[in-house]
Amino acid sequence: MSDAIKRIFPLGFPWETEDPFLFCVYHLDHYPKGNEQMEPAVSLEGRNLGNDFTIKDGWRMYHGQTVPGFPYHPHRGFETITIVNKGFCDHSDSLGAAGRFGLGDVQWMTAGRGVQHSEMFPLLNTQADNPLELFQIWLNLPKANKFVDPHFKMLWHEDIPVIKQEEAEIKIIAGNFLNNIAPSPAPNS
């Protein structure tokens, strides 16, 4: 078992993967207090608004101009699994779905034949900082499923099995582990 680890990749932005059909990205932003419009309650001067991926003062605006995040953009032919451990994400899409999730919730979105959506990070706390920790995986759909109807499903943190082993907590968001079955991401399930 001494050769079980084949290669170690540095955790960059995004994560390097060997598979071109897999994309992983980890966001950890230490956002400041928000204002009444859910924007940073600090100056945005000196930021490359619309394309701010450089960590400055511990956080990034990404493609957001006022509220951090990713305004409307298209997806097609793959699935995204978004886990928000800290903070919140406001989702809206071309299918008419909209909502806020966070604090351990998981969104499973199948883009299929195409969907436009927005993922914004509202800074709700006006009295203290607004940390955001988000992990996202993009999975390329197999050829037979490329043009399925798009849908998304929320896996609320209260419904996600959590296994505690030694010093680790394992959230089961797909499949099963030690007889604990994840909620299904399939529509209408």
Side-chain angles (χ1 to χ4, degrees), residues 9 27 48 54 69 73 81 101 105 122 148 151-152 159 161 164 168:
F9 295 96
H27 299 274
N48 187 17
T54 301
H73 57 281
I81 299 103
F101 64 102
D105 299 327
V148 298
H151 74 274
F152 86 95
D159 300 326
K164 295 182 181 180

Side-chain angles (χ1 to χ4, degrees), residues 93 119 130 157 176 186-187 189:
D93 64 39
E119 300 161 296
N130 289 276
H157 69 271
N176 67 70
S189 63

Side-chain angles (χ1 to χ4, degrees), residues 39-40 44 48-51 61-69 71 120:
E39 307 164 347
L44 298 178
N48 187 17
L49 292 178
N51 195 27
M61 288 292 290
Y62 301 105
H63 292 303
Q65 298 281 332
T66 55
V67 174
M120 303 304 289

Side-chain angles (χ1 to χ4, degrees), residues 3 14 30 32 39 60 77-78 100 111 125 129-130 150 155-156 182 185:
D3 60 346
H30 301 282
E39 307 164 347
R60 300 159 280 208
F78 59 92
R100 177 171 289 155
N125 195 336
D129 290 346
N130 289 276
L155 308 180
W156 302 110

Side-chain angles (χ1 to χ4, degrees), residues 5-132:
I5 297 174
K6 302 290 185 191
R7 185 169 169 207
I8 297 174
F9 295 96
L11 295 181
F13 185 83
W15 286 6
E16 183 179 345
T17 62
E18 287 193 23
D19 190 330
F21 302 105
L22 176 67
F23 173 82
C24 301
V25 68
Y26 175 74
H27 299 274
L28 178 59
D29 290 284
H30 301 282
Y31 289 111
K33 295 176 188 176
N35 62 24
E36 291 178 4
Q37 290 78 38
M38 299 181 282
E39 307 164 347
V42 297
S43 172
L44 298 178
E45 182 133 356
R47 291 186 174 276
N48 187 17
L49 292 178
N51 195 27
D52 180 22
F53 285 82
T54 301
I55 296 176
K56 179 182 177 199
D57 303 323
W59 50 278
R60 300 159 280 208
M61 288 292 290
Y62 301 105
H63 292 303
Q65 298 281 332
T66 55
V67 174
F70 299 89
Y72 273 97
H73 57 281
H75 286 289
R76 182 174 172 187
F78 59 92
E79 292 186 309
T80 62
I81 299 103
T82 306
I83 305 159
V84 179
N85 285 323
K86 295 178 187 170
F88 293 93
C89 180
D90 283 351
H91 165 94
S92 62
D93 64 39
S94 57
L95 302 174
R100 177 171 289 155
F101 64 102
L103 305 178
D105 299 327
V106 175
Q107 180 191 72
W108 198 299
M109 185 179 82
T110 301
R113 62 180 162 80
V115 66
Q116 292 227 21
H117 81 144
S118 170
E119 300 161 296
M120 303 304 289
F121 311 134
L123 306 184
L124 302 176
N125 195 336
T126 59
Q127 305 302 312
D129 290 346
N130 289 276
L132 174 77

Side-chain angles (χ1 to χ4, degrees), residues 168-184:
E169 278 192 11
I170 303 164
K171 290 183 182 183
I172 314 301
I173 63 166
N176 67 70
F177 181 69
L178 297 178
N179 298 318
N180 292 274
I181 300 171
S184 173

